[in-house]
Amino acid sequence: MLKGNAIIGQSGGPTSVINSSLCGVIQACAKYPEAIEKIYGMRYGIEGFMQEMLIDLGAERAEIVEGLKSTPSSALGSCRHKLQDADFPVVLELFKKYNIRYYFLIGGNDTMDTIHRIEKYCREQGYDLIGVGIPKTVDNDLFATDHTPGFGSAARYVALSVMQAGMLARDMKKVDQFVVFQTVGRSAGWLPAAAACAKRSEDDAPHIILVPERPFDTDKFLAEAKEAYEKYGWVSVVCGEGVCFADGTPISATSVNDRFGNKEFGAMGGTSAAMVLHQLLSKTFGWRGEFQVTESLQMSGADRAMPNDIEEAYACGARAVELAVEGTSGVMVTIQRESNSPYTWSLGTAPLKEVALGEKPMPDEFICEDRSFVTEACLEYLRPLVGELPTYVRFEG
Amino acid sequence: MLKGNAIIGQSGGPTSVINSSLCGVIQACAKYPEAIEKIYGMRYGIEGFMQEMLIDLGAERAEIVEGLKSTPSSALGSCRHKLQDADFPVVLELFKKYNIRYYFLIGGNDTMDTIHRIEKYCREQGYDLIGVGIPKTVDNDLFATDHTPGFGSAARYVALSVMQAGMLARDMKKVDQFVVFQTVGRSAGWLPAAAACAKRSEDDAPHIILVPERPFDTDKFLAEAKEAYEKYGWVSVVCGEGVCFADGTPISATSVNDRFGNKEFGAMGGTSAAMVLHQLLSKTFGWRGEFQVTESLQMSGADRAMPNDIEEAYACGARAVELAVEGTSGVMVTIQRESNSPYTWSLGTAPLKEVALGEKPMPDEFICEDRSFVTEACLEYLRPLVGELPTYVRFEG
C-alpha cells in the first residue's frame, strides 16, 4: 500500500455541490491513516498549486468541513488552466516536495484530462502516484456516468425558474407577450431540457426549448413562437447559451441590427443568446417581453440544491479515496442509475482516458424530431434528478 | 351596512405573495355574509373587467383558495391599464350590473390611484360603493406603509442571489474578475439595497450598490471598481434597473459604442443597466465577467418567499375586508413596524389620495454619502424583512 500525503483540488466552474464532494474526500481520507498522512488542498486548482498555494485541510475545524455539504461554489478556489508541457515538471517537483502520493481532482472533462496526463507523466518519471477523478459539472456532459454531481441542483434551479416566470408571464400576458430564459452549458442541452419538468399542462412554460445539439433555424423558431402565441397568448422560450446556427456560429454572436455590420459588439460577451432571441421576437412581431440571464446563479443556488445531488456528490468524493487506497489509479468515479421508480443508484468507475475532454451530448431519443422540445424519455430521465416541483394553483372558473 | 357583492382585482406587476393577499380577501369575505353576498374576481385587472371578464371566486374549491398562499404571481391575471375618462361609465355600468358594493384592488401606487378615482366617480354619480386598496409591490415604494407585501420575498431573492454568486465570483477570481447583478424597481433602490444583507465580511459581495436615488457617475464607479479589485481581486456590483445619469438618462439607454449614435437599440429593451456596466468594466480594465438579469424571477421566486411576507400579505387582504364592512372607504391598508428586535408589526390605514401615484424613495440616511453602498440604519430596516441568510463556510487556513 502506497503511503504518503494526499492532495485535492477543485477545477473548472463550480456547482452547488462540489464542496460536498470535497467534504467526502476530506472525511474519507481521515479513515485511512495507514495510507494517507496529511491531506492538502490546492488553492485555485492546478494553477494555484503550481504557485505553491496549498492549504492543510487536516487543520480545518470539523464544523467547517461538515459545513461544506451545504456551501455552494468551490471552497478551495478554482481555475481553468490548460496544462502546458512546461507545467509537468513543476507539478512533479511539488508532488515530491510535499510527498503527494494520492491525487484527487473534482471537475469536468477538462479536469479528467488534467489528472490523466499528470498521472501518466509521473509514472513515466518513475514517481508512484495514484490519481482519481471525481465528476462535477452542471452541464451533465461527462461520458460514462448517468449524470454528474451538480447537474440535478442546477436543473432544479432551471425548472423552478422557468415554472415561476411562466406563471408570471401568463398572468401578465396582456402586458408582455414572451419570456426567454437562458441556461449555461455551452455544448449540451441538458439544462434547457430540464426546464421541461416545469410543464404540467399544455399551456404551461416552457413552449420552446432550444438545445445546442440542434442547429438554430430562425424561420422554424419564429413559426413555433407564432403558434404558441396564437394558442396561449404568450410564449415561453428556454435557450442554451451555446445554441448555434447550422454553420456553427453561436446565435449570441449575432448583431440583430445588421446595418452596423458590427461583429465586435456581439462577440464581446456583451450580448447573449437570450438577448438576440428577445430582439428577434420584438422586431418580428412587435411583442414586448423579457430575457432572463441568470448565469452562475444556476451553479450556486444552494438553497435549491437537491438532497440527492448533495449525497451523490459526497459519495463520489468518498469513493475516490476508497479506490485510491485500494491501489486503483487512472479512473473517474461514475454514477450508475439502478432504477428510476424508485430512483436508486450505485457507483462505478471509468478509465480517465475514456472521459477526458469528450462532451456527452443529449441522445437523439431525448430530443423531439419535429419540434423544439424534449421527449417523454428525456423527462423520465430528468425527473428523479430535478425532484418534485411545488404545486401552484390555478382557478378553475 | 351596505349589502351587495364584492369584487377583487390584482393590478400591476405580481409578487410572490400577492395571491396570499387575494386569499385573505376571499376567506374574509366569507365571514360577512350579512354584508357580502358573492365575491367576484376581475380577470386581468380593470382591463379584463371592462371586457366583462369576471370569475365567481365563491365557486372555487377551498383547497385552491388555500393554495393561493403558496402560489406566486397573480392568479386572477393582471394588467397595467391607465384609466381613461371613457372608462369610468363602463366600470360603473358593470358595477351596477353585478351589484358590486365592495371593491378591492391589490396593487401599487398606480393601482391606489385607480381605486381612488373610481370610488370618487361612483360617489359623484350617486352610487354607493366602498373601495379599499391592498398594498403590493416588490419595489417597496408605496408611501405611508413601513414596507409593502412582496418586497421582503423579492429582497430575500436578491440577497441570496448576490451572496451565492459572490461566493462563486470569489472562488473563480483567477478566471473572471467581476459580476454585475441587476434588480427590478425603476425608481427606488430598495431591492439593490437588500443585497447588502449578503455581506458578512468586508470582502463579501456586494462591493458596490447603485441605487436610482443617486445619479450614476462613471468616474466614481470606475474608481470604486478599481479599488475593490485591488483589495479583493474581484468585484461584485449590484445595480437597480432604473439607475440614471445626472441628466436623467437611464444608463440602460446607453450604447457604450458611441460610434453608432444609435439610441434605438439601447432603448428597445434589448439592453439593460447591467450589460452597460459589464461593457464599461470590460472595456476600461480588460476584465472578464458576467452580468445577471433575473427580471421577473425576483417577483415570482416563491420557494424563497419569506413566511412573514406571506402572513402580512394575507393579513392586509383580510383587513381590507374588515374595514370595508365597517364602512371605511377610500383607504389603503398599511403595515406599521412596532419593533425591530424582535420584529413585530400591526396594520393601519392611509387615505388613498396620499398614496396614489407617489413613489417613495429611500431616505438619505439609508444611503452612504461617500460611497456606493447603504448604511447600517438601512440594514437594520432590511434584516427582519430579508430574514436569516444561510451560513456558508470558508476555510480558515
Side-chain angles (χ1 to χ4, degrees), chain B residues 131-161:
Chain B
V132 179
I134 298 145
K136 174 284 302 181
T137 177
V138 296
D139 296 6
N140 202 35
D141 62 352
L142 272 168
F143 279 105
T145 179
D146 177 86
H147 56 279
T148 51
F151 171 66
S153 299
R156 185 173 180 79
Y157 185 104
V158 168
L160 273 170
S161 298

Side-chain angles (χ1 to χ4, degrees), chain A residues 60-61 71 73-74 78 164 168 171 173 260 262 265 270 275 279 290 293 295-296 303-304 393 396-397, chain B residues 60-61 71 73-74 78 164 168 171 260 262 265 270 275 279 290 293 295-296 303-304 393 396-397:
Chain A
E60 292 293 327
R61 292 188 285 123
T71 295
S73 191
S74 298
S78 194
Q164 293 165 346
L168 192 143
D171 294 338
K173 68 185 184 187
F260 299 149
N262 182 22
F265 183 80
M275 277 183 49
Q279 292 234 345
E290 64 177 57
V293 174
E295 299 288 75
S296 63
D303 60 303
R304 293 169 161 176
V393 297
E396 294 170 335
Chain B
E60 292 293 327
R61 291 186 286 123
T71 296
S73 190
S74 298
S78 194
Q164 293 165 345
L168 192 143
D171 295 336
F260 299 147
N262 182 24
F265 183 77
M275 278 183 49
Q279 292 234 343
E290 64 176 59
V293 174
E295 300 286 77
S296 64
D303 60 304
R304 292 169 162 176
V393 298
E396 294 171 333

Side-chain angles (χ1 to χ4, degrees), chain A residues 271-291:
Chain A
T271 58
S272 62
M275 277 183 49
V276 169
L277 295 177
H278 176 281
Q279 292 234 345
L280 188 56
L281 292 172
S282 305
K283 290 194 168 194
T284 306
F285 298 117
W287 295 340
R288 285 182 43 127
E290 64 177 57
F291 59 89

Side-chain angles (χ1 to χ4, degrees), chain B residues 221-237:
Chain B
F221 171 70
L222 291 173
E224 288 180 321
K226 185 162 184 274
E227 185 188 351
Y229 178 76
E230 285 167 355
K231 276 182 167 179
Y232 314 125
W234 65 288
V235 189
S236 158
V237 179

Side-chain angles (χ1 to χ4, degrees), chain A residues 314-390:
Chain A
Y314 182 93
C316 286
R319 177 60 55 88
V321 176
E322 275 173 42
L323 290 163
V325 300
E326 284 167 11
T328 306
S329 188
V331 298
M332 178 184 85
V333 178
T334 61
I335 300 172
Q336 313 304 323
R337 187 179 306 218
E338 296 294 330
S339 66
N340 224 20
S341 256
Y343 171 68
T344 58
W345 53 281
S346 64
L347 298 179
T349 61
L352 282 173
K353 60 183 186 294
E354 268 184 37
V355 296
L357 300 178
E359 289 168 340
K360 183 174 81 178
M362 291 178 70
D364 290 342
E365 60 266 25
F366 279 13
I367 307 172
C368 293
E369 280 185 33
D370 56 332
R371 61 193 186 102
S372 304
F373 215 78
V374 299
T375 61
E376 181 57 31
C378 183
L379 282 161
E380 281 179 26
Y381 166 85
L382 288 168
R383 284 189 188 110
L385 307 180
V386 168
E388 283 281 334
L389 291 172

Side-chain angles (χ1 to χ4, degrees), chain B residues 178-364:
Chain B
F178 71 94
V179 56
V180 184
F181 182 90
Q182 177 175 302
T183 75
V184 294
R186 288 233 137 261
S187 319
W190 299 100
L191 279 176
C197 296
K199 189 190 269 295
R200 276 86 184 267
S201 308
E202 192 211 325
D203 63 324
D204 282 343
H207 304 130
I208 297 170
I209 298 178
L210 302 171
V211 297
E213 288 86 344
R214 294 291 179 266
F216 180 75
D217 178 333
T218 307
D219 293 335
K220 178 181 177 187
F221 171 70
L222 291 173
E224 288 180 321
K226 185 162 184 274
E227 185 188 351
Y229 178 76
E230 285 167 355
K231 276 182 167 179
Y232 314 125
W234 65 288
V235 189
S236 158
V237 179
V238 177
C239 175
E241 66 175 341
V243 167
C244 296
F245 292 103
D247 68 0
T249 316
I251 67 172
S252 63
T254 308
S255 169
V256 174
N257 196 333
D258 290 333
R259 274 189 285 142
F260 299 147
N262 182 24
K263 293 188 177 45
E264 185 204 349
F265 183 77
M268 259 208 63
T271 58
S272 62
M275 278 183 49
V276 169
L277 295 177
H278 177 281
Q279 292 234 343
L280 188 56
L281 292 172
S282 303
K283 289 193 168 195
T284 306
F285 299 115
W287 294 340
R288 286 183 41 130
E290 64 176 59
F291 59 90
Q292 299 163 346
V293 174
T294 56
E295 300 286 77
S296 64
L297 292 169
Q298 295 167 32
M299 299 155 71
S300 55
D303 60 304
R304 292 169 162 176
M306 276 293 286
N308 207 66
D309 197 7
I310 297 172
E311 189 189 333
E312 289 177 10
Y314 182 94
C316 286
R319 176 60 55 88
V321 176
E322 276 172 41
L323 290 162
V325 300
E326 284 167 13
T328 306
S329 187
V331 299
M332 178 184 85
V333 179
T334 60
I335 299 170
Q336 314 303 323
R337 185 179 309 217
E338 297 294 330
S339 66
N340 223 21
S341 256
Y343 171 68
T344 58
W345 53 281
S346 64
L347 298 178
T349 61
L352 282 173
K353 60 184 184 296
E354 267 182 38
V355 296
L357 298 178
E359 289 167 342
K360 183 175 82 177
M362 292 178 68
D364 289 342

